[in-house]
Amino acid sequence: MHRCLHAIMHLIEDHAKRADIPVRFAAAKLTEGDTRILEALELDQNEKEMLEHIICQMEAESGMDRAAAIADMRFSFIRQVCSATVVKPGESREHARSAKIDKLLTGKYTAIPAFIGIMGIVFWLTFNVIGAFFQELMAMGVDALSGLADSALTAANVNEVLHSLIIDGIAGGVGSVLSFLPIIVTLFFFLSLLEDSGYIARVAFVMDKLLRKIGLSGRSIVPMLIGFGCTVPGVMATRTLPSERDRKMTILLTPFMSCSAKLPIYAFFAAAFFPKQAALVMIGLYALGIGLGILMALLMKGTAFKGEAVPFVMELPNYRLPGARNVMQLLWDKAKDFLQRAFSVIFIASIVIWFLQTFDFHLNIVADSQDSMLAAAAGIIAPVLKPLGFGDWRMSTALITGFMAKESVVSTLHVLLGTTEMLFTIITPLAASSLLVFCLLYTPCVAAIAAIKREMGWKWAIGVVAGQCAIAWTAAFAVRLIGLALGLN
């Protein structure tokens, strides 16, 4: 790298003297792509082409892009100066231990496999071992409470409509979502351990080189990681990005990261249709979202968001044991947020869905839910979803309520179907696969759209809704076509 920098200095030496600019400074700024220095030096076309050739050769030799190569040379110089002048009492045990761990977790060839392996273990423990165990206990508790309430209402001879509202509407809707609380708490327990240990900061460092290839810097990984918890704070976290271009691109990519509100959907359908492969299904959905996000970033980089990302420099903290207080605080925040939504948005949605399913337009109680107001409204969009394999009006209704809160998809299905066995009568395993992909990608919830509107305006917010629905339909249709081609059903 130093040889290439000296070649650039030799090429521009006369121009730098005429422009009264230090030649080493000019060479470094040209390598970074500074257009003002390039204009001030007044290089001819042949010299510009030679300059670009030298820089490309430097990138090929170093395996880094031009900004990272310059940063590496600067830090190498700083280390040389410090080693020659600074006297240190001795390396701390914490730093020595962190350096040894980083050889594996941030190594050139081991960082990405280590990250995939760690997240795979987290998902396996969450959805197949610890989280699954506590989910079963929670489901048993909810069923027991619902049974007691049902018996008490029957013994008290409560009006049938009120009885149905409490048991089928409220208990069936809210209770079904509450059973997924252990899954969410378990997942965030492991994520909080990784964050408090210092590993998440390494993920941003490791991902910087990959993100630069799609037009973003390592800073963008933080809002995206937050987006795995909830899209709203993920969008708001982009305010810390110094580049307007990076900020907008990151906001548009955040909906591709599966938020925790989609976990009940994934867990419900994976447990129902793919119980033995539940962890693989979860990993596949997360990987698909990330993969499609990368494709969209490449598309945006070449069209609406041309240019280079801002250089990313950060100091990595030493590894440490996670603090119990920090972990419990994060878990409490996530659980509280989930419960607040369960007893607000989902509570109201469950009552509305029950009402629309129980009555027709003349407010008469219907004997068959297909004659209800809900069936008539959902039947309008059901044909659009029919090519995907889930054109039943009840599935359409669940997806509509998912726009208010993603957890409502599961609660709505419980209200409409009553039992999981009924689900098998309206969709097949292939249709369930297509549905999971659709839920992964279709429009974020109304709160996330409101956050995008605050950051980018109405046009972008409406564009996100339309774009995500189009991408979701296309991806789900592709999954169905592939499944049919393989003879699946």
Side-chain angles (χ1 to χ4, degrees):
M1 290 190 292
H2 290 284
R3 180 174 56 81
C4 293
L5 187 63
H6 284 298
I8 296 173
M9 292 169 59
H10 178 72
L11 176 66
I12 66 169
E13 186 173 6
D14 294 338
H15 297 277
K17 287 181 179 179
R18 282 197 299 270
D20 195 24
I21 301 174
V23 64
R24 179 177 287 274
F25 172 79
K29 299 305 288 183
L30 285 177
T31 305
E32 292 178 338
D34 193 310
T35 55
R36 289 178 296 179
I37 297 296
L38 183 63
E39 293 172 0
L41 294 180
E42 298 179 348
L43 302 179
D44 60 36
Q45 187 59 34
N46 288 335
E47 290 171 325
K48 289 180 181 178
E49 292 177 359
M50 180 61 71
L51 173 65
E52 184 64 23
H53 174 74
I54 295 172
I55 295 174
C56 290
Q57 183 180 357
M58 180 182 68
E59 290 180 322
E61 292 178 357
S62 64
M64 296 181 281
D65 61 38
R66 56 196 67 191
I70 285 293
D72 184 67
M73 281 192 282
R74 286 174 175 156
F75 278 102
S76 296
F77 176 75
I78 292 171
R79 282 194 294 269
Q80 291 174 4
V81 172
C82 290
S83 63
T85 58
V86 177
V87 178
K88 296 181 180 179
E91 185 180 25
S92 66
R93 286 183 298 175
E94 291 80 6
H95 186 270
R97 182 179 62 232
S98 296
K100 291 180 181 179
I101 298 173
D102 277 338
K103 288 181 180 179
L104 173 64
L105 297 185
T106 64
K108 183 177 181 180
Y109 301 106
T110 58
I112 300 300
F115 175 67
I116 295 173
I118 289 171
M119 297 311 297
I121 293 172
V122 167
F123 283 128
W124 178 71
L125 290 174
T126 299
F127 298 103
N128 285 61
V129 186
I130 301 173
F133 172 75
F134 286 109
Q135 182 190 18
E136 289 181 8
L137 290 181
M138 178 67 82
M140 291 170 59
V142 170
D143 290 342
L145 288 175
S146 297
L148 289 174
D150 190 11
S151 301
L153 292 173
T154 302
N157 198 26
V158 174
N159 179 274
E160 290 184 6
V161 175
L162 182 59
H163 189 149
S164 175
L165 169 62
I166 295 173
I167 300 302
D168 300 328
I170 298 174
V174 177
S176 63
V177 175
L178 278 179
S179 64
F180 293 101
L181 178 61
I183 291 283
I184 293 172
V185 171
T186 303
L187 178 61
F188 278 98
F189 169 74
F190 288 117
L191 292 180
S192 62
L193 290 180
L194 295 177
E195 181 178 355
D196 211 38
S197 68
Y199 179 65
I200 295 299
R202 265 87 178 166
V203 173
F205 169 75
V206 168
M207 293 297 175
D208 181 63
K209 186 175 181 180
L210 293 177
L211 288 176
R212 285 193 168 281
K213 293 181 179 179
I214 63 173
L216 293 171
S217 76
R219 287 185 179 90
S220 295
I221 196 66
V222 177
M224 290 182 183
L225 288 174
I226 294 173
F228 282 111
C230 180
T231 304
V232 176
V235 170
M236 297 177 67
T238 60
R239 296 176 182 177
T240 61
L241 302 181
S243 166
E244 184 72 9
R245 171 191 170 278
D246 289 7
R247 190 175 71 87
K248 288 183 176 180
M249 276 189 70
T250 306
I251 289 174
L252 296 177
L253 294 176
T254 301
F256 288 95
M257 310 300 119
S258 285
C259 68
S260 61
K262 296 177 183 178
L263 283 175
I265 304 175
Y266 301 161
F268 176 68
F269 283 97
F273 290 94
F274 318 104
K276 295 182 179 179
Q277 297 85 25
L280 290 177
V281 170
M282 303 295 297
I283 294 172
L285 288 169
Y286 275 78
L288 178 61
I290 295 170
L292 289 176
I294 291 172
L295 291 178
M296 287 302 300
L298 292 172
L299 180 62
M300 289 189 283
K301 178 186 177 184
T303 54
F305 296 96
K306 294 181 179 179
E308 295 296 328
V310 174
F312 174 54
V313 177
M314 70 174 297
E315 181 179 356
L316 297 178
N318 291 330
Y319 287 102
R320 63 177 185 179
L321 289 175
R325 182 176 180 181
N326 293 340
V327 172
M328 295 309 298
Q329 182 64 48
L330 181 61
L331 291 183
W332 168 246
D333 289 341
K334 293 298 178 185
K336 183 175 68 174
D337 177 66
F338 183 84
L339 291 172
Q340 285 175 341
R341 278 194 278 182
F343 287 102
S344 56
V345 176
I346 298 172
F347 178 81
I348 295 170
S350 297
I351 294 176
V352 171
I353 294 300
W354 170 87
F355 177 82
L356 295 176
Q357 181 202 11
T358 304
F359 297 92
D360 60 17
F361 286 102
H362 300 289
L363 297 183
N364 296 315
I365 298 177
V366 297
D368 190 338
S369 56
Q370 284 189 310
D371 301 323
S372 65
M373 291 184 281
L374 188 61
I380 298 174
I381 69 165
V384 179
L385 301 175
K386 190 173 182 180
L388 309 181
F390 45 90
D392 188 272
W393 66 271
R394 288 162 289 194
M395 300 304 303
S396 305
T397 303
L399 293 173
I400 292 172
T401 61
F403 181 60
M404 298 301 297
K406 295 302 177 191
E407 305 96 326
S408 295
V409 172
V410 176
S411 62
T412 299
L413 287 175
H414 272 275
V415 172
L416 296 178
L417 299 176
T419 61
T420 305
E421 287 70 23
M422 283 293 296
L423 185 65
F424 300 118
T425 65
I426 61 174
I427 61 171
T428 64
L430 177 57
S433 301
S434 182
L435 177 64
L436 283 170
V437 171
F438 189 87
C439 291
L440 163 72
L441 299 170
Y442 90 116
T443 177
C445 67
V446 65
I449 295 300
I452 294 173
K453 179 262 176 185
R454 284 196 301 269
E455 299 298 322
M456 300 180 67
W458 273 116
K459 290 183 179 179
W460 285 103
I462 294 172
V464 167
V465 173
Q468 292 289 146
C469 287
I471 292 169
W473 194 96
T474 304
F477 187 64
V479 169
R480 181 164 175 77
L481 285 181
I482 294 170
L484 291 174
L486 295 174
L488 304 177
N489 54 40

